Amino acid sequence: MAKQYWLMKSEPDAYAWDQLVHDGTGMWDGVRNHTAKLNMMAMKVGDEAFFYHSNIGKECVGIMRVTEESFPDPTAEPGSPWVVVRVAPVRALTHPVTLAAIKADPKLADMDLIRQSRLSVGRVTPDEWKHILKKSEKAEG
DNA sequence: GCCAACGTTGGC
DNA sequence: GCCAACGTTGGC
């Protein structure tokens, strides 16, 4: 299957990009939403995801790679349906791409991030992925 | 099975 | 701090 792309949100207060870079790898735990869970279950090793800082920053700050496919969330009650994936940082974006910049771009208006603002793990199409990468190379969104 | 109440998330 | 979106819960 072709590589898939994702966007994963975290409040930097709780878990920030710098922390993931520092750790070298991270378990994406604590997801308690079924749509997000299904997305995580669809992830394959090698898929890439934007790390998005919600609430504080409200911007995509880096790229990470899925290194281990979904398995039961050890922070959840035994028998509950929640899962985690393991991720590793690939690189920081040259410039963060803000939510405002994404909203302002008609090409990105249909993203999960926009249409379902509360979804913490969303799909990104290859076109959207490329487009956001291109934006991240420019100084302003 | 419907729906109102309530809690949480996240942008503004 | 407010509010919209949306998920969950509980009464009926």
Side-chain angles (χ1 to χ4, degrees):
Chain A
M1 181 193 296
K3 191 198 287 186
Q4 306 174 100
Y5 299 100
W6 311 91
L7 183 147
M8 303 172 84
K9 293 187 190 180
S10 177
E11 298 196 28
D13 274 357
Y15 191 75
W17 168 254
D18 286 348
Q19 182 72 46
L20 178 64
V21 171
H22 177 263
D23 293 347
T25 178
M27 208 173 59
W28 206 270
D29 62 19
V31 171
R32 296 292 182 270
N33 170 281
H34 290 286
T35 306
K37 179 201 70 178
L38 289 174
N39 282 336
M40 291 211 292
M41 290 175 70
M43 291 183 187
K44 302 292 178 197
V45 170
D47 283 2
E48 290 188 308
F50 289 123
F51 193 123
Y52 175 85
H53 280 170
S54 63
N55 251 316
I56 301 167
K58 285 170 281 183
E59 57 194 10
C60 298
V61 293
I63 297 171
M64 49 197 176
R65 177 179 177 277
V66 176
T67 58
E68 188 176 349
E69 287 162 26
S70 63
F71 56 95
D73 186 340
T75 71
E77 303 242 325
S80 69
W82 309 116
V83 300
V84 299
V85 293
R86 188 165 282 283
V87 294
V90 174
R91 66 176 176 88
L93 294 179
T94 312
H95 302 282
V97 178
T98 66
L99 179 64
I102 291 171
K103 274 188 161 173
D105 192 324
K107 288 200 188 74
L108 301 175
D110 206 34
M111 285 184 69
D112 277 2
L113 177 69
I114 305 300
R115 288 187 302 115
Q116 209 176 332
S117 65
R118 284 181 55 200
L119 184 62
S120 58
V121 179
R123 279 183 185 275
V124 176
T125 69
D127 282 350
E128 288 161 354
W129 181 268
K130 281 181 217 146
H131 199 66
I132 290 174
L133 280 186
K134 200 181 292 178
K135 291 172 101 64
S136 75
E137 298 306 318
K138 298 177 198 161
E140 40 232 278

